[in-house]
Amino acid sequence: MLVGLAGFLEMTDSAAAPRLSSWSVVLMFCMLLGPVWASACPSQCLCTSDLLSCTALDLDQVPVVLPVFTVTLDLNHNRIMQLEEESFEGLPRLEMLRLAHNQLTKIQPGAFRNSSGPLLRHLDLSSNQLMVLEQHYFQDLPGLQELLLFNNRIVRVETGALDALRNLHKVYLSHNLLTNFPFFSIQKHSHPNLSMLDLSSNRLPKLPLKDISNLPQLVKEGLYLHNNSLVCDCSMYSLFRFWEKQDFASVRFFRQEHVCLVYGIQRGVQFFLYSRFFDKCNLMGMKEQKGNVSVTAGEPLLLHCITSLSRTSTTFFWLAPNSEYVVPPGNNGSLKMFPNGSLEIVAAREEDSGIYLCMAQDQDHNETREVKVTVLRHEGEAHEHFNTGFTTLLGCVVSLLLVLMYLYLTPCRCPKHRPPTTVTLSRGKEARPGSAQSSILTPTPPLTTEGPGRKVSTNKHVVFLEPIREQQNGRLRAGPGLLLGVEPQQRAGETDSYVSVFSDTPILLP
């Protein structure tokens, strides 16, 4: 076949051969390549473009010979019981692998070796008979984004089963037989893109509240736990109530499917609809997830050290507001610390208010968390603040009334009536009462108007004027504040003029 292809190319390059159109060349190339593709396509399978479909063919193993150009491989609805080593060897372009509805019970080490590990992004293993997710199953698939494992018989997920899947976005583990799950293995630095973890319809009896609280926020928002065999307790109830207030989709869309088991009741209780079973629960756990918490004086308070580090090899310590280091088991009795990093304030006091700093550290990383604690003196402290403010306002009003009474209601001690004082101006003329003696402030410079043909003086700016006290040698003698930098002037033969500083209109004195 290759010899024929070479001969065809020689023929098209020769000058004697007729010129063929580009479409004729493409058609001839496809005709020659067709037998190659057909020979690689397994019997009874459908090979089209980059899709290889071998569904419902009663296969008991993965075909040995597979087209190298396969991007999507569909092996659904067969009888494949296990994946052997290098079952998908020679598929460098494989991106989607579907193995749903088979009888898989085991995946041998290296099953995905020599395949397109970094490119494979979708793996469907749903509706099989897998019982344990072992650590080596997916270690050759670092680019995997979606992992479908629902409707199996999985009873256990090993701690490191998902560690190699750093690009993982969604994991579907619903409808299995799980009684626990290694939540502590899901960390922000190990799974930064994980946004959905479906563990619904399993047999989880109790939730590790501390480990779930340490999950990355993106994982918590996409964590589905409905239809499990949860035992009704306050910690479980407070967790889901907190998620309800945060409007997580897992609660919003499956509100009625959240059930728990109460002692003496055979059927599960829909605790979102029947909350009377939790009337005595202290829901402080809902506040502990936030950075600011408050507690009434005398009551206990539990603070959690929220961290993304694995709890198996992590050490914790707290720094109290008074710069006191706290490590397990605590200090002299007012603060207790547990090995998992939680700190308990046994009986809150007002001096316990402030910023509490938690430090978590392992061999490679360290993280810190701040929690602001406010200790309230009693339940009605908010009303006390209002009363204090009202009292202050009332005091200000009373003080203002007293000032007004002092200004307007105090009796006026008026001096005895005295005859008006006459002041002789220069040349022996007397100044009539009024004007200068009663003038104090002047908003505008006074104008001195003189007779016909006389000039107007504009350089006399009176700022503060006191009454004239005496005469000396026929001239005016001003008080200390008569004029600032200006002396009274009067020319010979001019008509005396007197100006009121409260009027812009000159007043002529005869």
Short mmCIF file of all heavy atoms in Angstrom, two decimals, residues 269-329:
data_model
loop_
_atom_site.label_atom_id
_atom_site.label_comp_id
_atom_site.label_asym_id
_atom_site.label_seq_id
_atom_site.Cartn_x
_atom_site.Cartn_y
_atom_site.Cartn_z
N VAL A 269 -36.17 11.36 59.31
CA VAL A 269 -36.89 12.61 59.58
C VAL A 269 -36.37 13.68 58.64
O VAL A 269 -35.16 13.89 58.53
CB VAL A 269 -36.71 13.04 61.04
CG1 VAL A 269 -37.37 14.40 61.29
CG2 VAL A 269 -37.29 11.98 61.97
N GLN A 270 -37.27 14.36 57.97
CA GLN A 270 -36.88 15.50 57.12
C GLN A 270 -36.65 16.70 58.05
O GLN A 270 -37.56 17.44 58.38
CB GLN A 270 -37.98 15.79 56.10
CG GLN A 270 -38.20 14.66 55.10
CD GLN A 270 -39.37 14.95 54.17
OE1 GLN A 270 -40.42 15.40 54.60
NE2 GLN A 270 -39.19 14.67 52.89
N PHE A 271 -35.40 16.88 58.46
CA PHE A 271 -35.13 17.83 59.55
C PHE A 271 -35.32 19.28 59.13
O PHE A 271 -35.46 20.15 59.99
CB PHE A 271 -33.73 17.60 60.13
CG PHE A 271 -32.61 17.61 59.13
CD1 PHE A 271 -32.06 18.80 58.69
CD2 PHE A 271 -32.10 16.42 58.64
CE1 PHE A 271 -31.02 18.81 57.78
CE2 PHE A 271 -31.05 16.42 57.73
CZ PHE A 271 -30.50 17.61 57.30
N PHE A 272 -35.33 19.59 57.84
CA PHE A 272 -35.62 20.96 57.45
C PHE A 272 -37.10 21.28 57.62
O PHE A 272 -37.47 22.45 57.80
CB PHE A 272 -35.21 21.20 56.00
CG PHE A 272 -33.74 21.47 55.82
CD1 PHE A 272 -32.95 20.59 55.11
CD2 PHE A 272 -33.15 22.59 56.36
CE1 PHE A 272 -31.60 20.82 54.95
CE2 PHE A 272 -31.80 22.83 56.21
CZ PHE A 272 -31.02 21.94 55.51
N LEU A 273 -37.93 20.25 57.56
CA LEU A 273 -39.38 20.45 57.71
C LEU A 273 -39.84 20.24 59.14
O LEU A 273 -40.82 20.84 59.57
CB LEU A 273 -40.13 19.51 56.77
CG LEU A 273 -39.80 19.62 55.27
CD1 LEU A 273 -40.61 18.62 54.47
CD2 LEU A 273 -40.04 21.03 54.77
N TYR A 274 -39.13 19.39 59.89
CA TYR A 274 -39.53 19.08 61.27
C TYR A 274 -38.34 19.40 62.19
O TYR A 274 -37.58 18.52 62.58
CB TYR A 274 -39.93 17.61 61.39
CG TYR A 274 -41.04 17.21 60.44
CD1 TYR A 274 -40.74 16.55 59.24
CD2 TYR A 274 -42.37 17.51 60.73
CE1 TYR A 274 -41.75 16.19 58.37
CE2 TYR A 274 -43.38 17.15 59.85
CZ TYR A 274 -43.07 16.50 58.66
OH TYR A 274 -44.06 16.16 57.80
N SER A 275 -38.19 20.67 62.50
CA SER A 275 -37.04 21.12 63.28
C SER A 275 -37.28 21.05 64.78
O SER A 275 -36.40 21.42 65.56
CB SER A 275 -36.68 22.56 62.90
OG SER A 275 -37.79 23.42 63.13
N ARG A 276 -38.44 20.55 65.20
CA ARG A 276 -38.73 20.52 66.64
C ARG A 276 -37.80 19.56 67.38
O ARG A 276 -37.62 19.67 68.60
CB ARG A 276 -40.19 20.12 66.88
CG ARG A 276 -40.53 18.70 66.44
CD ARG A 276 -41.99 18.38 66.75
NE ARG A 276 -42.33 17.01 66.41
CZ ARG A 276 -42.72 16.61 65.21
NH1 ARG A 276 -42.82 17.50 64.23
NH2 ARG A 276 -43.01 15.35 64.97
N PHE A 277 -37.20 18.61 66.67
CA PHE A 277 -36.29 17.68 67.31
C PHE A 277 -34.98 18.36 67.73
O PHE A 277 -34.19 17.76 68.46
CB PHE A 277 -35.97 16.51 66.37
CG PHE A 277 -37.18 15.67 66.02
CD1 PHE A 277 -37.84 15.87 64.82
CD2 PHE A 277 -37.64 14.70 66.89
CE1 PHE A 277 -38.94 15.11 64.49
CE2 PHE A 277 -38.74 13.92 66.55
CZ PHE A 277 -39.41 14.13 65.36
N PHE A 278 -34.76 19.57 67.26
CA PHE A 278 -33.49 20.25 67.54
C PHE A 278 -33.71 21.56 68.27
O PHE A 278 -32.88 22.47 68.20
CB PHE A 278 -32.75 20.52 66.22
CG PHE A 278 -32.57 19.29 65.37
CD1 PHE A 278 -33.46 18.99 64.35
CD2 PHE A 278 -31.50 18.44 65.59
CE1 PHE A 278 -33.29 17.87 63.57
CE2 PHE A 278 -31.32 17.31 64.81
CZ PHE A 278 -32.22 17.01 63.80
N ASP A 279 -34.82 21.67 69.00
CA ASP A 279 -35.13 22.92 69.70
C ASP A 279 -34.11 23.23 70.78
O ASP A 279 -33.86 24.40 71.10
CB ASP A 279 -36.53 22.84 70.32
CG ASP A 279 -37.62 22.89 69.25
OD1 ASP A 279 -37.31 23.34 68.12
OD2 ASP A 279 -38.76 22.46 69.53
N LYS A 280 -33.50 22.20 71.37
CA LYS A 280 -32.56 22.42 72.47
C LYS A 280 -31.12 22.53 71.99
O LYS A 280 -30.20 22.59 72.82
CB LYS A 280 -32.69 21.27 73.48
CG LYS A 280 -34.05 21.21 74.15
CD LYS A 280 -34.09 20.09 75.19
CE LYS A 280 -35.45 20.05 75.88
NZ LYS A 280 -35.51 18.98 76.90
N CYS A 281 -30.91 22.52 70.70
CA CYS A 281 -29.55 22.60 70.18
C CYS A 281 -29.02 24.02 70.25
O CYS A 281 -29.75 24.99 69.96
CB CYS A 281 -29.48 22.12 68.72
SG CYS A 281 -29.69 20.33 68.54
N ASN A 282 -27.78 24.16 70.62
CA ASN A 282 -27.10 25.45 70.59
C ASN A 282 -26.45 25.60 69.22
O ASN A 282 -25.52 24.87 68.88
CB ASN A 282 -26.04 25.53 71.68
CG ASN A 282 -25.32 26.87 71.69
OD1 ASN A 282 -25.72 27.80 71.00
ND2 ASN A 282 -24.26 26.95 72.47
N LEU A 283 -26.96 26.50 68.42
CA LEU A 283 -26.50 26.64 67.04
C LEU A 283 -25.31 27.58 66.95
O LEU A 283 -25.11 28.24 65.93
CB LEU A 283 -27.64 27.15 66.16
CG LEU A 283 -28.87 26.24 66.11
CD1 LEU A 283 -29.88 26.79 65.13
CD2 LEU A 283 -28.50 24.82 65.76
N MET A 284 -24.49 27.68 68.00
CA MET A 284 -23.31 28.52 67.94
C MET A 284 -22.35 28.04 66.87
O MET A 284 -21.54 28.80 66.34
CB MET A 284 -22.60 28.52 69.30
CG MET A 284 -21.39 29.44 69.38
SD MET A 284 -21.82 31.15 69.06
CE MET A 284 -22.79 31.50 70.50
N GLY A 285 -22.44 26.76 66.52
CA GLY A 285 -21.57 26.23 65.47
C GLY A 285 -21.72 26.96 64.16
O GLY A 285 -20.80 27.03 63.36
N MET A 286 -22.92 27.50 63.93
CA MET A 286 -23.13 28.27 62.71
C MET A 286 -22.31 29.56 62.73
O MET A 286 -21.82 30.00 61.70
CB MET A 286 -24.61 28.58 62.55
CG MET A 286 -25.48 27.35 62.38
SD MET A 286 -27.23 27.74 62.58
CE MET A 286 -27.45 28.97 61.35
N LYS A 287 -22.13 30.15 63.90
CA LYS A 287 -21.34 31.38 63.99
C LYS A 287 -19.85 31.10 63.99
O LYS A 287 -19.07 31.95 63.63
CB LYS A 287 -21.73 32.15 65.26
CG LYS A 287 -23.19 32.59 65.28
CD LYS A 287 -23.49 33.36 66.54
CE LYS A 287 -24.93 33.83 66.58
NZ LYS A 287 -25.25 34.58 67.81
N GLU A 288 -19.46 29.89 64.41
CA GLU A 288 -18.04 29.59 64.50
C GLU A 288 -17.38 29.52 63.14
O GLU A 288 -16.18 29.60 63.03
CB GLU A 288 -17.85 28.25 65.23
CG GLU A 288 -18.24 28.31 66.69
CD GLU A 288 -18.36 26.94 67.31
OE1 GLU A 288 -18.13 25.95 66.60
OE2 GLU A 288 -18.69 26.85 68.50
N GLN A 289 -18.17 29.37 62.08
CA GLN A 289 -17.59 29.29 60.75
C GLN A 289 -17.17 30.67 60.25
O GLN A 289 -16.48 30.77 59.25
CB GLN A 289 -18.60 28.67 59.77
CG GLN A 289 -19.32 27.44 60.30
CD GLN A 289 -18.38 26.36 60.77
OE1 GLN A 289 -17.40 26.07 60.09
NE2 GLN A 289 -18.66 25.75 61.90
N LYS A 290 -17.60 31.74 60.91
CA LYS A 290 -17.30 33.09 60.45
C LYS A 290 -16.08 33.64 61.18
O LYS A 290 -15.59 33.07 62.14
CB LYS A 290 -18.51 34.01 60.68
CG LYS A 290 -19.76 33.56 59.92
CD LYS A 290 -20.90 34.51 60.17
CE LYS A 290 -22.15 34.10 59.42
NZ LYS A 290 -23.28 35.03 59.66
N GLY A 291 -15.62 34.79 60.72
CA GLY A 291 -14.47 35.41 61.33
C GLY A 291 -14.82 36.27 62.52
O GLY A 291 -13.93 36.64 63.30
N ASN A 292 -16.11 36.62 62.71
CA ASN A 292 -16.54 37.44 63.84
C ASN A 292 -17.62 36.67 64.61
O ASN A 292 -18.64 36.29 64.03
CB ASN A 292 -17.11 38.79 63.38
CG ASN A 292 -16.06 39.61 62.65
OD1 ASN A 292 -14.88 39.55 62.98
ND2 ASN A 292 -16.48 40.37 61.66
N VAL A 293 -17.40 36.43 65.87
CA VAL A 293 -18.38 35.73 66.70
C VAL A 293 -18.62 36.53 67.96
O VAL A 293 -17.79 37.35 68.38
CB VAL A 293 -17.90 34.30 67.06
CG1 VAL A 293 -17.74 33.46 65.82
CG2 VAL A 293 -16.59 34.35 67.84
N SER A 294 -19.76 36.31 68.58
CA SER A 294 -20.10 36.98 69.83
C SER A 294 -20.67 35.96 70.79
O SER A 294 -21.25 34.95 70.38
CB SER A 294 -21.13 38.11 69.58
OG SER A 294 -22.31 37.58 69.00
N VAL A 295 -20.50 36.22 72.06
CA VAL A 295 -20.96 35.31 73.11
C VAL A 295 -21.31 36.14 74.34
O VAL A 295 -20.72 37.19 74.60
CB VAL A 295 -19.87 34.26 73.44
CG1 VAL A 295 -18.62 34.93 73.97
CG2 VAL A 295 -20.39 33.22 74.41
N THR A 296 -22.31 35.68 75.06
CA THR A 296 -22.71 36.36 76.28
C THR A 296 -21.76 36.00 77.40
O THR A 296 -21.28 34.86 77.49
CB THR A 296 -24.15 35.96 76.66
OG1 THR A 296 -25.01 36.25 75.55
CG2 THR A 296 -24.62 36.74 77.88
N ALA A 297 -21.46 36.94 78.25
CA ALA A 297 -20.53 36.71 79.36
C ALA A 297 -21.01 35.56 80.21
O ALA A 297 -22.19 35.44 80.54
CB ALA A 297 -20.40 37.99 80.20
N GLY A 298 -20.06 34.66 80.55
CA GLY A 298 -20.36 33.50 81.37
C GLY A 298 -20.65 32.24 80.59
O GLY A 298 -20.66 31.15 81.15
N GLU A 299 -20.89 32.36 79.28
CA GLU A 299 -21.19 31.20 78.46
C GLU A 299 -19.93 30.70 77.77
O GLU A 299 -19.00 31.46 77.51
CB GLU A 299 -22.26 31.53 77.42
CG GLU A 299 -23.62 31.84 78.02
CD GLU A 299 -24.68 32.03 76.94
OE1 GLU A 299 -24.30 31.98 75.74
OE2 GLU A 299 -25.86 32.24 77.29
N PRO A 300 -19.90 29.40 77.40
CA PRO A 300 -18.72 28.85 76.69
C PRO A 300 -18.77 29.19 75.21
O PRO A 300 -19.83 29.45 74.65
CB PRO A 300 -18.84 27.34 76.94
CG PRO A 300 -20.31 27.11 77.10
CD PRO A 300 -20.85 28.33 77.78
N LEU A 301 -17.61 29.16 74.57
CA LEU A 301 -17.51 29.42 73.13
C LEU A 301 -16.41 28.53 72.57
O LEU A 301 -15.30 28.46 73.12
CB LEU A 301 -17.19 30.89 72.87
CG LEU A 301 -16.98 31.27 71.40
CD1 LEU A 301 -18.26 31.07 70.61
CD2 LEU A 301 -16.50 32.71 71.27
N LEU A 302 -16.72 27.85 71.46
CA LEU A 302 -15.77 26.97 70.81
C LEU A 302 -15.32 27.59 69.49
O LEU A 302 -16.15 27.90 68.64
CB LEU A 302 -16.39 25.59 70.56
CG LEU A 302 -15.46 24.51 70.00
CD1 LEU A 302 -14.35 24.19 70.99
CD2 LEU A 302 -16.24 23.25 69.65
N LEU A 303 -14.01 27.78 69.32
CA LEU A 303 -13.43 28.34 68.11
C LEU A 303 -12.69 27.24 67.37
O LEU A 303 -11.89 26.51 67.96
CB LEU A 303 -12.46 29.48 68.44
CG LEU A 303 -13.02 30.62 69.29
CD1 LEU A 303 -11.93 31.63 69.58
CD2 LEU A 303 -14.20 31.28 68.60
N HIS A 304 -12.94 27.14 66.05
CA HIS A 304 -12.28 26.14 65.23
C HIS A 304 -11.15 26.79 64.42
O HIS A 304 -11.30 27.91 63.93
CB HIS A 304 -13.26 25.46 64.27
CG HIS A 304 -14.32 24.67 64.97
ND1 HIS A 304 -14.03 23.75 65.93
CD2 HIS A 304 -15.66 24.67 64.83
CE1 HIS A 304 -15.16 23.20 66.37
NE2 HIS A 304 -16.15 23.75 65.71
N CYS A 305 -10.06 26.08 64.29
CA CYS A 305 -8.94 26.55 63.47
C CYS A 305 -9.17 26.05 62.04
O CYS A 305 -8.83 24.92 61.70
CB CYS A 305 -7.62 26.03 64.04
SG CYS A 305 -6.18 26.73 63.23
N ILE A 306 -9.78 26.89 61.21
CA ILE A 306 -10.11 26.50 59.84
C ILE A 306 -8.85 26.56 59.00
O ILE A 306 -8.23 27.61 58.84
CB ILE A 306 -11.18 27.44 59.24
CG1 ILE A 306 -12.39 27.49 60.18
CG2 ILE A 306 -11.59 26.96 57.87
CD1 ILE A 306 -13.07 26.18 60.40
N THR A 307 -8.45 25.41 58.45
CA THR A 307 -7.25 25.32 57.64
C THR A 307 -7.44 24.28 56.56
O THR A 307 -8.25 23.36 56.70
CB THR A 307 -6.02 24.96 58.50
OG1 THR A 307 -4.89 24.79 57.66
CG2 THR A 307 -6.25 23.69 59.28
N SER A 308 -6.71 24.41 55.48
CA SER A 308 -6.76 23.45 54.38
C SER A 308 -5.68 22.38 54.50
O SER A 308 -5.59 21.51 53.63
CB SER A 308 -6.62 24.18 53.04
OG SER A 308 -5.36 24.83 52.96
N LEU A 309 -4.88 22.43 55.55
CA LEU A 309 -3.82 21.45 55.72
C LEU A 309 -4.39 20.13 56.23
O LEU A 309 -5.41 20.10 56.92
CB LEU A 309 -2.76 21.97 56.69
CG LEU A 309 -2.09 23.29 56.31
CD1 LEU A 309 -1.06 23.68 57.37
CD2 LEU A 309 -1.43 23.20 54.95
N SER A 310 -3.70 19.05 55.92
CA SER A 310 -4.13 17.74 56.38
C SER A 310 -3.96 17.64 57.89
O SER A 310 -2.94 18.05 58.45
CB SER A 310 -3.30 16.65 55.69
OG SER A 310 -3.61 15.39 56.23
N ARG A 311 -4.95 17.08 58.57
CA ARG A 311 -4.93 17.04 60.03
C ARG A 311 -4.07 15.90 60.56
O ARG A 311 -3.84 15.81 61.75
CB ARG A 311 -6.35 16.90 60.57
CG ARG A 311 -7.19 18.11 60.25
CD ARG A 311 -8.25 18.33 61.28
NE ARG A 311 -8.88 19.62 61.04
CZ ARG A 311 -8.91 20.60 61.92
NH1 ARG A 311 -8.32 20.45 63.07
NH2 ARG A 311 -9.51 21.73 61.64
N THR A 312 -3.62 15.00 59.71
CA THR A 312 -2.85 13.86 60.19
C THR A 312 -1.46 14.27 60.67
O THR A 312 -0.91 13.64 61.56
CB THR A 312 -2.73 12.80 59.08
OG1 THR A 312 -2.14 13.42 57.92
CG2 THR A 312 -4.11 12.28 58.70
N SER A 313 -0.88 15.31 60.09
CA SER A 313 0.48 15.71 60.45
C SER A 313 0.58 17.21 60.73
O SER A 313 1.61 17.82 60.49
CB SER A 313 1.45 15.34 59.33
OG SER A 313 1.09 15.98 58.12
N THR A 314 -0.49 17.80 61.22
CA THR A 314 -0.53 19.24 61.44
C THR A 314 -0.50 19.54 62.94
O THR A 314 -1.15 18.87 63.73
CB THR A 314 -1.79 19.86 60.82
OG1 THR A 314 -1.86 19.52 59.44
CG2 THR A 314 -1.79 21.36 60.96
N THR A 315 0.28 20.53 63.32
CA THR A 315 0.32 21.02 64.69
C THR A 315 -0.34 22.38 64.77
O THR A 315 -0.29 23.17 63.81
CB THR A 315 1.77 21.11 65.20
OG1 THR A 315 2.51 21.98 64.34
CG2 THR A 315 2.42 19.74 65.23
N PHE A 316 -0.96 22.68 65.92
CA PHE A 316 -1.73 23.91 66.09
C PHE A 316 -1.29 24.62 67.36
O PHE A 316 -0.85 23.99 68.32
CB PHE A 316 -3.23 23.61 66.20
CG PHE A 316 -3.81 22.87 65.02
CD1 PHE A 316 -3.81 21.47 65.00
CD2 PHE A 316 -4.35 23.54 63.95
CE1 PHE A 316 -4.35 20.79 63.93
CE2 PHE A 316 -4.88 22.87 62.88
CZ PHE A 316 -4.89 21.48 62.87
N PHE A 317 -1.44 25.94 67.35
CA PHE A 317 -1.39 26.72 68.57
C PHE A 317 -2.16 28.01 68.34
O PHE A 317 -2.37 28.45 67.19
CB PHE A 317 0.05 27.02 69.02
CG PHE A 317 0.79 28.00 68.16
CD1 PHE A 317 0.68 29.36 68.37
CD2 PHE A 317 1.61 27.55 67.14
CE1 PHE A 317 1.36 30.27 67.59
CE2 PHE A 317 2.30 28.45 66.34
CZ PHE A 317 2.18 29.81 66.56
N TRP A 318 -2.63 28.62 69.43
CA TRP A 318 -3.42 29.85 69.37
C TRP A 318 -2.67 30.97 70.07
O TRP A 318 -1.90 30.73 71.01
CB TRP A 318 -4.78 29.66 70.05
CG TRP A 318 -5.76 28.86 69.26
CD1 TRP A 318 -5.84 27.50 69.18
CD2 TRP A 318 -6.81 29.37 68.43
NE1 TRP A 318 -6.87 27.12 68.37
CE2 TRP A 318 -7.48 28.25 67.88
CE3 TRP A 318 -7.24 30.64 68.09
CZ2 TRP A 318 -8.57 28.38 67.03
CZ3 TRP A 318 -8.33 30.78 67.24
CH2 TRP A 318 -8.97 29.66 66.71
N LEU A 319 -2.93 32.18 69.62
CA LEU A 319 -2.41 33.38 70.26
C LEU A 319 -3.60 34.21 70.73
O LEU A 319 -4.40 34.69 69.91
CB LEU A 319 -1.54 34.20 69.30
CG LEU A 319 -0.90 35.47 69.86
CD1 LEU A 319 0.09 35.11 70.97
CD2 LEU A 319 -0.19 36.25 68.76
N ALA A 320 -3.76 34.33 72.04
CA ALA A 320 -4.89 35.06 72.62
C ALA A 320 -4.68 36.56 72.50
O ALA A 320 -3.57 37.03 72.22
CB ALA A 320 -5.06 34.65 74.09
N PRO A 321 -5.73 37.38 72.71
CA PRO A 321 -5.58 38.84 72.61
C PRO A 321 -4.55 39.44 73.55
O PRO A 321 -3.98 40.49 73.26
CB PRO A 321 -7.00 39.35 72.94
CG PRO A 321 -7.90 38.23 72.57
CD PRO A 321 -7.14 36.98 72.90
N ASN A 322 -4.29 38.76 74.69
CA ASN A 322 -3.29 39.27 75.63
C ASN A 322 -1.89 38.74 75.34
O ASN A 322 -1.03 38.73 76.22
CB ASN A 322 -3.69 38.92 77.07
CG ASN A 322 -3.84 37.41 77.26
OD1 ASN A 322 -3.72 36.64 76.31
ND2 ASN A 322 -4.10 37.00 78.49
N SER A 323 -1.68 38.26 74.06
CA SER A 323 -0.38 37.75 73.59
C SER A 323 0.04 36.47 74.31
O SER A 323 1.22 36.17 74.40
CB SER A 323 0.71 38.82 73.74
OG SER A 323 0.38 39.97 72.98
N GLU A 324 -0.93 35.72 74.79
CA GLU A 324 -0.64 34.46 75.46
C GLU A 324 -0.71 33.31 74.47
O GLU A 324 -1.69 33.17 73.74
CB GLU A 324 -1.64 34.22 76.60
CG GLU A 324 -1.46 32.88 77.30
CD GLU A 324 -2.54 32.61 78.32
OE1 GLU A 324 -3.48 33.44 78.40
OE2 GLU A 324 -2.48 31.59 79.02
N TYR A 325 0.33 32.48 74.40
CA TYR A 325 0.36 31.30 73.54
C TYR A 325 -0.40 30.18 74.24
O TYR A 325 -0.17 29.88 75.41
CB TYR A 325 1.80 30.87 73.25
CG TYR A 325 2.50 31.77 72.27
CD1 TYR A 325 3.27 32.84 72.71
CD2 TYR A 325 2.41 31.56 70.90
CE1 TYR A 325 3.92 33.68 71.82
CE2 TYR A 325 3.05 32.38 70.00
CZ TYR A 325 3.80 33.44 70.46
OH TYR A 325 4.43 34.27 69.57
N VAL A 326 -1.27 29.53 73.46
CA VAL A 326 -2.08 28.45 74.01
C VAL A 326 -1.86 27.21 73.17
O VAL A 326 -2.02 27.24 71.94
CB VAL A 326 -3.58 28.81 74.02
CG1 VAL A 326 -4.39 27.71 74.69
CG2 VAL A 326 -3.81 30.14 74.73
N VAL A 327 -1.46 26.13 73.81
CA VAL A 327 -1.27 24.83 73.16
C VAL A 327 -2.03 23.80 73.99
O VAL A 327 -2.41 24.06 75.15
CB VAL A 327 0.23 24.46 73.07
CG1 VAL A 327 0.96 25.43 72.18
CG2 VAL A 327 0.85 24.42 74.46
N PRO A 328 -2.31 22.61 73.42
CA PRO A 328 -3.02 21.58 74.21
C PRO A 328 -2.25 21.26 75.50
O PRO A 328 -1.02 21.19 75.47
CB PRO A 328 -3.05 20.38 73.26
CG PRO A 328 -2.92 20.98 71.89
CD PRO A 328 -2.04 22.16 72.06
N PRO A 329 -2.93 21.11 76.61
CA PRO A 329 -4.39 21.10 76.82
C PRO A 329 -4.99 22.46 77.13
O PRO A 329 -6.17 22.55 77.44
CB PRO A 329 -4.53 20.17 78.03
CG PRO A 329 -3.30 20.43 78.83
CD PRO A 329 -2.21 20.68 77.83
#
